[in-house]
Amino acid sequence: MQVTTVDLTALGRAAKEASRALAVATTAEKNAALHAIADAIERHADTILAANAEDVAAGRANGLTEALLDRLLLTPKRLQALADDARKVADLPDPVGREYDQRTLDNGIRLKRRTVPLGVVGVIYEARPNVTVDIATLCLKAGNAALLRGGSETLRSNIALARALSEALASVGLPEACVQLIASTDRALVRELLRLDAYVDMLIPRGGAGLHRLCKEESTIPVITGGIGICHLFVDASADLDRAVPVIVNAKVQRPSVCNALDTLLVHEAVAPDFLPRVASALAEHGVAFRADDIAHALLVDTAGLDLTPAGPDDFDQEWLGLTLSLRVLDGLDAAIAQVHAHSTQHSDGILTETPAHAARFLNEIDSAAVYVNASTRFTDGGQFGLGAEVAVSTQKLHARGPMGLDALTTFKWIAEGDYHVRS
Amino acid sequence: MQVTTVDLTALGRAAKEASRALAVATTAEKNAALHAIADAIERHADTILAANAEDVAAGRANGLTEALLDRLLLTPKRLQALADDARKVADLPDPVGREYDQRTLDNGIRLKRRTVPLGVVGVIYEARPNVTVDIATLCLKAGNAALLRGGSETLRSNIALARALSEALASVGLPEACVQLIASTDRALVRELLRLDAYVDMLIPRGGAGLHRLCKEESTIPVITGGIGICHLFVDASADLDRAVPVIVNAKVQRPSVCNALDTLLVHEAVAPDFLPRVASALAEHGVAFRADDIAHALLVDTAGLDLTPAGPDDFDQEWLGLTLSLRVLDGLDAAIAQVHAHSTQHSDGILTETPAHAARFLNEIDSAAVYVNASTRFTDGGQFGLGAEVAVSTQKLHARGPMGLDALTTFKWIAEGDYHVRS
């Protein structure tokens, strides 16, 4: 892994060259590199933790919130988990080299598709230094060179991790440029990276809405946008209300800071008078505050112990990322579908119902990466979906949608073998 | 099909709404629309041909080349072919609604993926009015609304075709906004379209390198770039030279104006003294002119009847789109692979060889959309590859690569069905 401060074009060129070596590396060679990375992280744990302590101290001096400092923090346990994860990536099936759609054309040409690495993957991320190792190891397994731009607040940690990765790659004879860190806090480099399409095949932003918008606006490299979830659950008139309460509580409070947490609860007017006070009381026990439309507000205003505010015009377009929930009462499935179409970011949306026809309509008509019947939205996750790993969660529609596993870090080529065939 | 001159945001919104109706249309409903389109084209043939005649006359007056006028021209036969093609699209399998990766997670949630339409597809194209019908019908079959921006030189033809499509959609009860033509020659609208990411899910430019670059630079919508092919064939020392000649002639001259035609011929030095004069003479019979590197030039300078020029520094980075061919003599497979890496646009590249290990290395190491052994590059085509239709040819790596069939106009959603499941 190379650490540098300057010439992005040179980094891009080196990444492209390294990607050619990686593309023909065997599964065993790639797995050896992953084990070497795990070993190097363990071997250099003290150095990495010392660098991280400096980042945390500087972050505290700069007034970072406790939440952000926690994301930044590496503990011995967290570092060990990173090493363990690298070994787990080695255990995953190699996504490269799978051949499919084999056929012999009428003229005798043998045609097939083969999965191959994308080439060079650029990743722009914030705060968490574990992303450096996560992404580097997943890219490596899929045969891609990685060009990483981490947040300035984790620069010391990332440089220390980068040195360990660099040593590991060299030890197994792979080019160090397989993983390169853009080790500079110069923000202009981000815009420069976004236009490095001559060398970078895919760009993954991992951060907030602003970063995703910047990449969408400025990047000449294909971008996987995602990670922003305005998630809905609709409680239909036929839902099992007793069982609906814990699902909604789970979707909202199990981990409120993440993209698949619930943002807006929609309730059928037929059950709202009974159900809303019950679910609101259950949520209030976990500290949830409410932004309620007129009907929901009227139904809840007499319930004790609620933090209840009339919903403002923008409250149904919020990814709350915290213990706030928007509430709306609707007159049926059509209105619920229209509400989701108008306000969802197409991440994760669900219906709670005992009416199969309503479940089917919701699944058919809601165009989100993950659509749910009678389950919490919190399941949208590579691990939960059994993908073995998660690169990112895509909310766009090209190439990858929803949780992205190793497969999403590959493309394919068409292979045609003939006997001196000509087209007539 | 609606024809308009102005409010692109309104068009985008209408397209998004229409796409929701199309997404739940049955295969039978979509096929009925395709047959209605074919009928309407036949019914309005006179009007369409008259409008096209005006476009052709105006084009001639504006000094368009004969080649461009021919691309612009609709004849009764060509128009009939368009109607026939619409009926053929009806006969293709519906790419939407296929379910795969079904599994029951350990917690009991039933998870699967289902193919769904992309939503709204924007297409920017030049000259040929047949693209209007081709793309509209393929988008329709895949359940997508289409937003079309054709070239100004075909505006009258496109408006006439648009009216026929509009009538056909209305006759089967589908929203006319399923297919919308941006019926204006205002070039500012192209840039505006490129930023319509709130409504358009995929953008397909069909035109020259300049259009693709513009889209890559300016679009906030995911773009499928492609259609630019700097294509190579490498004649290895072991190639069957007698059989290699017709393959190279086919790749170069069968249709020299298209993206999968040969641009650069690489020849192993061991066979170049014998082979180059033979292949060059055969190509010269078809009017091919040569740009030869020093060695190739020396080997060909005494051959009679050749249009031979020393290759300039840029001649190996040309998509010739005509009867010119670059020639280079190399000392083996490594040099050939390096040459392709440095100069290919990753469209279609091939090797002619009787050495299986060389074929395997070429297939493994050349990272192009289509890689060939012992066949003409001209086969890179949706029809030739058995896809039933071709939307475009992608030379980028995300989502679609090489010839794009109907599948490339779909995405998928994750569908999770539970029994009031919560994440622990």
Side-chain angles (χ1 to χ4, degrees), chain A residues 16 20 23-24 103 105 107 109 111-114 116-120 195 197 201-203 213 216-224 238-241 243-244 246-248 250 254-255 260 341-342 346 352-354 359-360 362-376 378-381 384-387 396-403 407 410-424, chain B residues 16 20 23-24 103 105 107 109 111-114 116-120 195 197 201-203 213 216-224 238-241 243-244 246-248 250 254-255 260 341-342 346 352-354 359-360 362-376 378-381 384-387 396-403 407 410-424:
Chain A
K16 182 57 84 181
R20 292 193 170 126
V24 295
R103 79 204 91 140
L105 303 179
N107 57 19
I109 287 181
L111 185 69
K112 62 188 173 189
R113 305 203 220 192
R114 182 195 288 171
V116 296
L118 284 164
V120 178
R195 305 189 78 78
D197 57 86
D201 296 287
M202 177 199 257
L203 192 73
R213 189 74 213 166
K216 210 169 176 176
E217 298 270 348
E218 301 284 338
S219 177
T220 58
I221 303 163
V223 178
I224 298 288
S238 66
D240 182 327
L241 301 183
R243 304 182 73 198
V247 172
I248 293 159
N250 181 263
Q254 198 246 359
R255 200 169 167 207
N260 57 19
H341 280 166
Q346 304 181 278
L352 305 178
T353 186
E354 293 298 311
F362 194 90
L363 294 179
N364 289 340
E365 296 182 34
I366 296 303
D367 184 25
S368 297
V371 282
Y372 288 90
V373 175
N374 296 341
S376 167
R378 286 279 296 118
F379 288 105
T380 307
D381 174 278
Q384 295 290 322
F385 277 11
L387 300 184
Q396 52 124 57
K397 295 183 182 176
L398 266 66
H399 189 73
R401 204 170 189 209
D407 281 348
T410 68
T411 182
F412 66 90
K413 60 171 84 159
W414 296 89
I415 290 180
E417 295 172 277
D419 184 29
Y420 298 87
H421 279 79
V422 298
R423 179 165 171 185
S424 52
Chain B
K16 183 57 85 183
R20 291 189 172 131
V24 295
R103 78 204 91 139
L105 304 179
N107 58 18
I109 286 181
L111 184 70
K112 62 189 173 188
R113 304 203 220 192
R114 182 194 290 172
V116 296
L118 283 164
V120 179
R195 306 188 78 77
D197 58 85
D201 297 287
M202 178 200 256
L203 191 73
R213 190 74 214 164
K216 211 169 173 174
E217 299 271 348
E218 300 285 338
S219 177
T220 58
I221 304 163
V223 177
I224 298 288
S238 66
D240 183 326
L241 300 183
R243 305 183 73 198
V247 172
I248 293 159
N250 181 263
Q254 200 245 358
R255 200 169 167 205
N260 58 18
H341 280 165
Q346 303 181 279
L352 304 177
T353 186
E354 293 297 311
F362 194 90
L363 294 178
N364 288 340
E365 296 183 32
I366 296 303
D367 183 25
S368 297
V371 282
Y372 289 90
V373 175
N374 297 340
S376 168
R378 287 278 297 117
F379 288 104
T380 308
D381 174 278
Q384 294 291 320
F385 277 11
L387 301 183
Q396 52 123 56
K397 295 182 180 175
L398 268 64
H399 188 74
R401 205 171 188 208
D407 281 348
T410 68
T411 181
F412 66 89
K413 61 170 85 160
W414 296 88
I415 290 179
E417 296 172 276
D419 184 30
Y420 298 87
H421 278 79
V422 298
R423 180 166 171 183
S424 51

Side-chain angles (χ1 to χ4, degrees), chain A residues 57-364:
Chain A
R60 181 161 284 124
N62 289 330
L64 290 193
T65 63
E66 284 304 315
L68 218 50
L69 288 171
D70 184 61
R71 293 180 67 200
L72 178 51
L73 180 69
L74 287 176
T75 62
K77 198 176 154 194
R78 288 180 182 182
L79 198 61
Q80 186 58 50
L82 278 183
D84 294 343
D85 282 347
R87 294 190 180 101
K88 278 184 203 148
V89 172
D91 290 338
L92 292 174
D94 192 331
V96 166
R98 185 171 62 86
E99 298 190 339
Y100 59 108
D101 281 358
Q102 287 96 339
R103 79 204 91 140
T104 301
L105 303 179
D106 288 343
N107 57 19
I109 287 181
R110 284 163 291 132
L111 185 69
K112 62 188 173 189
R113 305 203 220 192
R114 182 195 288 171
T115 59
V116 296
L118 284 164
V120 178
V121 177
V123 187
I124 303 175
Y125 53 104
E126 296 166 354
R128 294 187 293 179
N130 59 312
V131 174
T132 304
V133 180
D134 277 354
I135 286 280
T137 53
L138 292 168
C139 282
L140 196 62
K141 180 78 186 202
N144 297 297
L147 199 47
L148 307 175
R149 160 74 191 203
S152 55
E153 63 286 355
T154 53
L155 187 60
R156 296 175 190 86
S157 311
N158 283 339
I159 289 175
L161 286 165
R163 290 209 174 109
L165 269 69
S166 182
E167 187 180 297
L169 287 163
S171 76
V172 297
L174 281 174
E176 293 184 29
C178 290
V179 183
Q180 293 177 103
L181 178 70
I182 302 170
S184 161
T185 57
D186 182 358
R187 288 184 64 88
L189 284 172
V190 171
R191 278 173 199 271
E192 206 184 316
L193 173 58
L194 295 183
R195 305 189 78 78
L196 211 61
D197 57 86
Y199 304 110
V200 182
D201 296 287
M202 177 199 257
L203 192 73
I204 304 178
R206 287 185 47 161
L211 176 62
H212 283 265
R213 189 74 213 166
L214 176 73
C215 291
K216 210 169 176 176
E217 298 270 348
E218 301 284 338
S219 177
T220 58
I221 303 163
V223 178
I224 298 288
T225 51
I228 313 296
I230 299 180
C231 301
H232 298 74
L233 281 176
F234 171 55
V235 180
D236 198 7
S238 66
D240 182 327
L241 301 183
D242 291 333
R243 304 182 73 198
V245 172
V247 172
I248 293 159
V249 171
N250 181 263
K252 183 66 224 174
V253 312
Q254 198 246 359
R255 200 169 167 207
S257 64
V258 294
C259 55
N260 57 19
L262 184 65
D263 296 287
T264 299
L265 178 66
L266 308 173
V267 181
H268 193 292
E269 61 181 9
V271 294
D274 171 29
F275 184 67
L276 262 183
R278 286 163 60 186
V279 74
S281 296
L283 288 160
E285 284 178 30
H286 296 273
V288 176
F290 303 96
R291 304 292 174 95
D293 77 352
D294 290 350
I295 305 177
H297 195 273
L299 291 171
L300 290 174
V301 72
D302 294 330
T303 304
L306 300 187
D307 180 346
L308 182 68
T309 310
D314 296 331
D315 282 346
F316 293 96
D317 294 302
Q318 294 300 321
E319 185 188 28
W320 292 112
L321 299 172
L323 289 171
T324 305
L325 182 65
S326 305
L327 300 174
R328 174 157 280 178
V329 175
L330 298 164
D331 65 4
L333 183 59
D334 286 332
I337 289 172
Q339 174 82 17
V340 175
H341 280 166
H343 300 280
S344 169
T345 53
Q346 304 181 278
H347 187 298
S348 301
D349 298 290
I351 185 172
L352 305 178
T353 186
E354 293 298 311
T355 311
H358 288 189
R361 269 197 65 200
F362 194 90
L363 294 179
N364 289 340

